[in-house]
Amino acid sequence: MSSEARTQMVQAPDGRQLEVVSAGPEDGRCFLFHSGTPSAAAAYPPLVAQLAKRGLRLVTFSRPGYAASSAMHGRGVGDVATDVQAVMDALKIGSFFCAGQSGGGPHALACAALLPDRVLATASLAGVAPWGAEGLDWLSGMGPENLEEFGAALKGQEALEAYLEREAAAIHDVRPDDVAASLGGLVSDVDKAALTGGYAEYMASVLHRAVSTGIAGWRDDDIAFASPWGFDLGSIQTPVAVWQGGEDRMVPMPHGAWLAAHIPGAEVHLLPEEGHLSLALNKIGDVLDGLLAMSEAAARPAGTS
């Protein structure tokens, strides 16, 4: 029996409120999705349908400072693990599959590293690598808007906030037909083609809600990405797949290659023809099947096939 998308508030251990959205079969195994930057929790119907076909239930939440979730200024990427535990405990969920897209990627990897007894398998979709990663030119290949945003972040909080206030005003009421244009040089042709119809409507709605209560979530995401993440990628022992597209101007493919090389046993899927947004749209079925297969393989006793 499938359920309609449901929104509820969950309290974190320190008293903050977290906005949680769930959808799909109530008795399904949990698929926890960490959305990008900026964004807010929402259930994209085609994703819910793909999950339901595999007996999976969507759970996602707005990171601190986005939409109805209380802000947590100074949070690090690794702090997400405490919030995820609170969400899972409130929903009475033990183990779960995990995926993160774009800015959600590092947060999914944080769960893999810090919640190994609960995470079954993890996928990073167009996820960013750590700032200052050795051997990676972090900004190389990014569109001009990203160069400006992270350039502002490096100048300090005041410069970043001024930049984000301007950007938030531009996307606060963006129409579905204008989402691709609003992203400027961050979207390649394959991503522009993806940003039509129902997906453009979903993205417009998510962007509106992401900045509906200000820029705190966006600011704190950016600062967290450019700071130590608070966990060691090399410590991850649960299965991880890294997916990245070659036509990605937000998080270029070398980020995915770097992550795959530094996460023990990571499956790597570097797809030259996919972009930042088209990757998840076109490959989500493969991503989900891969998560299920990795989890099953990891659960088998050694020496069996």
Side-chain angles (χ1 to χ4, degrees), residues 149-162:
E149 182 172 336
F150 284 101
L154 291 176
K155 290 178 186 172
Q157 184 173 316
E158 192 175 329
L160 177 61
E161 287 178 345

Side-chain angles (χ1 to χ4, degrees), residues 27 53 75 90 93 117 137 144 146 148 155 162 164 166 179 185 196 205 219 236 238 260 263 275 281 294 305:
D27 59 350
K53 281 201 313 191
R75 59 181 164 88
I93 294 168
D117 55 336
D137 186 345
N146 264 19
E148 190 176 354
K155 290 178 186 172
L164 294 180
R166 292 195 302 273
V179 170
T196 57
S205 171
R219 174 200 66 201
I236 296 175
T238 49
I263 297 170
L281 276 184
M294 286 194 301
S305 60

Side-chain angles (χ1 to χ4, degrees), residues 141-149 163 167 170-171 174-193 195 203 207 218 247-251 276-277:
M142 288 190 182
E145 292 81 358
N146 264 19
L147 299 180
E148 190 176 354
E149 182 172 336
Y163 173 82
E167 291 300 300
I171 65 173
V174 70
R175 294 164 53 85
D177 290 349
D178 300 325
V179 170
S182 76
L183 294 172
L186 294 173
V187 284
S188 56
D189 287 344
V190 68
D191 279 334
K192 288 176 187 172
L195 277 167
M203 283 296 295
L207 291 172
W218 195 351
E247 293 293 322
D248 190 334
R249 294 181 188 165
M250 294 193 209
V251 185
H276 188 77
L277 302 171

Side-chain angles (χ1 to χ4, degrees), residues 29-245:
R29 290 195 289 175
C30 174
F31 172 82
L32 176 68
F33 181 65
H34 298 268
S35 55
T37 302
S39 65
Y44 181 49
L47 171 60
V48 175
Q50 288 279 355
L51 290 167
K53 281 201 313 191
R54 295 165 175 83
L56 297 170
R57 169 192 182 194
L58 173 69
V59 175
T60 185
F61 69 101
S62 299
R63 283 193 294 279
Y66 286 121
S69 288
S70 312
M72 182 187 179
H73 188 42
R75 59 181 164 88
V77 173
D79 288 327
V80 74
T82 302
D83 286 352
V84 167
Q85 281 188 299
V87 170
M88 294 297 150
D89 290 347
L91 272 57
K92 296 182 169 53
I93 294 168
S95 59
F96 57 93
F97 296 95
C98 194
Q101 183 174 15
S102 189
H107 294 91
L109 295 175
C111 293
L114 300 173
L115 302 173
D117 55 336
R118 300 184 81 154
V119 174
L120 298 167
T122 303
S124 170
L125 309 174
V128 67
W131 181 263
E134 188 174 349
L136 175 69
D137 186 345
W138 205 87
L139 294 170
S140 178
M142 288 190 182
E145 292 81 358
N146 264 19
L147 299 180
E148 190 176 354
E149 182 172 336
F150 284 101
L154 291 176
K155 290 178 186 172
Q157 184 173 316
E158 192 175 329
L160 177 61
E161 287 178 345
Y163 173 82
L164 294 180
E165 291 285 4
R166 292 195 302 273
E167 291 300 300
I171 65 173
H172 191 273
D173 298 307
V174 70
R175 294 164 53 85
D177 290 349
D178 300 325
V179 170
S182 76
L183 294 172
L186 294 173
V187 284
S188 56
D189 287 344
V190 68
D191 279 334
K192 288 176 187 172
L195 277 167
T196 57
Y199 189 61
E201 291 174 14
Y202 163 77
M203 283 296 295
S205 171
V206 165
L207 291 172
H208 296 165
R209 294 198 61 249
V211 297
S212 61
T213 52
I215 61 162
W218 195 351
R219 174 200 66 201
D220 295 342
D221 266 0
D222 281 357
I223 293 172
F225 298 143
S227 307
W229 283 5
F231 62 94
D232 178 14
L233 288 169
S235 72
I236 296 175
Q237 297 180 349
T238 49
V240 173
V242 177
W243 295 76
Q244 213 94 6

